[in-house]
Amino acid sequence: SSLFVFDHKLTLKTCGTTTTLFCLEELFRVVKEHLDWNFCQKGKVNPYKVFYSRRCFMFPKKQQGIHQNWDDETQYLNKFFSNGKSYLVGRLGQANHWSLYVTETNRDLDGQDENFDGSEEDDDENDDDDDDETLEMLMTGLTPSRASQFVTTREPGQPVESDTDDEGHVLGAQVTEDTQLDRIYDNVEGVSFQQDAFAFTPCGYSANVVMDQEYYYTLHVTPEDGWSYASFESNVPVTKVSGGTQDNIAVMERVLQVFGPSDFCLTFFSRRSHNDNFAKLKKLTDRVSNYTRKDKIVYQLDDYHLLYLRFERN
Amino acid sequence: TVSLNAIPSPSYIDRELSANLDSTDAFEGPEKLLEIWFYKNSSCVPDNAKTLRSIDFSTWVRLLQLVKCQVLSMKQTEKMNAFLLSE
């Protein structure tokens, strides 16, 4: 699991039987008390934007409380947010659909100046910094030989012997290097790269990679036979960090090379409608070797655009 | 083997937690992903010098307890704090 905290936003991604949404009440109390940020309107909170999503669970009955089903999660979110919408994306009745909750953008908080004629500037014409894109790949049925790279032999409960080395992190860094997960992006000179990876025992792996101080990609792997799973999520602007040598299709292919899943879904959010990466992924059809595309769905969500693709290995 | 010294220093590591975590009973991969944008970007944050990154570490630890996560390690950069969590 991972948490990324920026000055103005946070991303919390949690695996297993975590209770992600149970932090909401305390979170908004904390930002009000510590930062004097008050987003309350008519008994609900209305920050700039909220996204909550997940692929359908493999073992939903083992989840706790509201997380056992999507309707309960949606109802819980609606207790906090007044303007949320819920989407079930993909084929219902199948075990691989994806669910999304998103609130309408609170434009009172975007700091956008009005022009002299009273009109607001078009988002697409704003500075590049206003663009935002997130690529996520959720993969199941990992190729066993590749999943085995995420199994370690160390035992839990060993005494802490060193103030400097930490075995789980050392092994995590080793896994990152061995699997080439540190080479997903062709980062050009001058783009900083920091990783924080951990190898769980007896198996499993999590990593946060921060590039250029402000972009991240994160990986989480549960390699067990029968329910193997890996996720890759990134807000790295691929064109920028690669100096134009790479696109998100190349990134996707590198991730697939590491895990070899039997099935994966890819979601891509972009704030701009004229996002080149969005357009390229949207055109992706039979270019993914060894995989057949089963679903392609495009949504326009307020000021965001969402592309959902699902593939199965041939 | 990569030594931790060869890795750019994490800002924080919980060595006890790291040594004792056992993933034997982990079974569910698919994650829950929550993203909250309080403001559109950092320049829209009210000009009182406090941002989400002003919230102290112990408060994040307490918030994460509600989620059933513990902090394994954390890295701080100029623009973000990245926490690696248990589970």
Side-chain angles (χ1 to χ4, degrees):
Chain A
S1 301
S2 294
L3 169 68
F4 300 95
V5 180
F6 297 79
D7 286 328
H8 63 292
K9 68 170 181 177
L10 64 79
T11 300
L12 175 60
K13 185 166 198 168
T14 68
C15 321
T17 54
T18 47
T19 52
T20 314
L21 297 180
F22 291 167
C23 72
L24 282 173
E25 185 172 354
E26 181 65 5
L27 175 64
F28 282 98
R29 192 194 66 77
V30 164
V31 298
K32 185 177 178 185
E33 187 174 291
H34 290 237
L35 310 180
D36 202 22
W37 291 0
N38 187 358
F39 299 97
C40 287
Q41 285 181 352
K42 298 177 182 172
K44 301 208 176 184
V45 285
N46 193 15
Y48 180 70
K49 194 89 177 170
V50 177
F51 300 93
Y52 176 68
S53 65
R54 63 171 175 82
R55 184 172 173 149
C56 62
F57 292 128
M58 298 171 180
F59 307 99
K61 289 183 179 172
K62 292 192 177 180
Q63 292 292 327
Q64 298 187 38
I66 58 166
H67 291 294
Q68 288 195 346
N69 81 68
W70 180 250
D71 285 345
D72 290 346
E73 288 172 296
T74 301
Q75 278 185 33
Y76 190 80
L77 286 159
N78 281 335
K79 286 201 300 188
F80 289 90
F81 309 110
S82 56
N83 50 9
K85 291 177 183 145
S86 170
Y87 300 84
L88 283 175
V89 184
R91 303 186 199 191
L92 296 183
Q94 295 216 353
N96 45 29
H97 60 269
W98 183 76
S99 303
L100 169 70
Y101 180 92
V102 58
T103 62
E104 281 179 25
T105 301
N106 181 354
R107 295 184 186 280
D108 292 341
L109 300 173
D110 68 6
Q112 188 148 298
D113 293 330
E114 289 195 353
N115 294 331
F116 290 118
D117 63 0
S119 63
E120 292 185 351
E121 292 177 22
D122 186 333
D123 276 351
D124 290 345
E125 293 174 1
N126 281 346
D127 186 70
D128 276 351
D129 289 345
D130 271 355
D131 199 7
D132 172 53
E133 58 183 51
T134 302
L135 172 69
E136 188 177 37
M137 293 171 65
L138 308 176
M139 299 163 272
T140 54
L142 311 186
T143 298
S145 60
R146 301 186 200 178
S148 67
Q149 300 174 104
F150 301 94
V151 178
T152 61
T153 53
R154 74 184 177 98
E155 296 290 327
Q158 296 299 306
V160 179
E161 293 179 350
S162 165
D163 287 338
T164 53
D165 283 358
D166 179 89
E167 197 176 4
H169 286 87
V170 170
L171 286 171
Q174 186 72 58
V175 170
T176 306
E177 188 177 317
D178 292 348
T179 54
Q180 302 198 340
L181 285 168
D182 53 349
R183 297 181 197 173
I184 297 292
Y185 289 93
D186 292 335
N187 46 313
V188 294
E189 198 174 335
V191 174
S192 62
F193 178 96
Q194 290 177 279
Q195 69 153 315
D196 187 6
F198 187 79
F200 291 84
T201 182
C203 63
Y205 166 86
S206 287
N208 293 337
V209 175
V210 180
M211 299 181 74
D212 211 14
Q213 310 288 329
E214 62 178 319
Y215 306 114
Y216 70 82
Y217 65 90
T218 184
L219 293 135
H220 300 284
V221 184
T222 47
E224 290 95 330
D225 274 348
W227 59 88
S228 62
Y229 175 87
S231 73
F232 168 81
E233 184 202 337
S234 171
N235 76 347
V236 176
V238 60
T239 309
K240 179 181 174 184
V241 302
S242 70
T245 63
Q246 251 186 325
D247 59 21
N248 275 321
I249 296 173
V251 169
M252 178 193 73
E253 286 170 343
R254 286 197 184 168
V255 173
L256 292 176
Q257 187 63 35
V258 174
F259 298 106
S262 63
D263 181 293
F264 73 97
C265 69
L266 179 152
T267 60
F268 187 75
F269 280 96
S270 76
R271 185 184 272 161
R272 284 184 169 188
S273 57
H274 305 308
N275 181 297
D276 287 344
N277 290 318
F278 190 94
K280 278 184 183 173
L281 284 167
K282 196 173 160 186
K283 288 179 188 166
L284 187 65
T285 50
D286 53 357
R287 276 189 57 194
V288 185
S289 57
N290 301 323
Y291 289 89
T292 301
R293 197 191 67 206
K294 296 295 182 183
D295 295 305
K296 175 169 104 174
I297 301 168
V298 179
Y299 278 99
Q300 182 159 355
L301 303 164
D302 200 7
D303 53 347
Y304 272 82
H305 303 265
L306 165 66
L307 174 65
Y308 169 91
L309 301 170
R310 190 175 72 80
F311 292 86
E312 287 178 8
R313 192 165 54 207
N314 297 332
Chain B
T1 301
V2 177
S3 158
L4 198 64
N5 294 330
I7 307 166
S9 258
S11 306
Y12 167 85
I13 290 182
D14 185 333
R15 293 177 203 285
E16 289 290 338
L17 177 62
S18 167
N20 291 300
L21 264 184
D22 185 345
S23 67
T24 302
D25 294 327
F27 57 90
E28 180 70 74
E31 303 99 337
K32 310 163 189 88
L33 176 58
L34 175 67
E35 185 165 318
I36 301 180
W37 293 59
F38 294 88
Y39 294 94
K40 184 176 183 181
N41 53 46
S42 56
S43 61
C44 296
V45 172
D47 190 18
N48 62 2
K50 281 191 173 181
T51 75
L52 286 176
R53 297 208 304 153
S54 310
I55 294 171
D56 57 47
F57 183 78
S58 61
T59 302
W60 290 116
V61 169
R62 189 167 46 79
L63 271 165
L64 288 164
Q65 283 172 351
L66 300 171
V67 176
K68 309 261 186 259
C69 280
Q70 294 170 278
V71 179
L72 264 172
S73 49
M74 191 270 281
K75 273 187 181 294
Q76 195 164 13
T77 73
E78 284 175 17
K79 297 191 176 176
M80 65 187 289
N81 299 346
F83 296 75
L84 202 63
L85 309 175
S86 62
E87 277 288 327

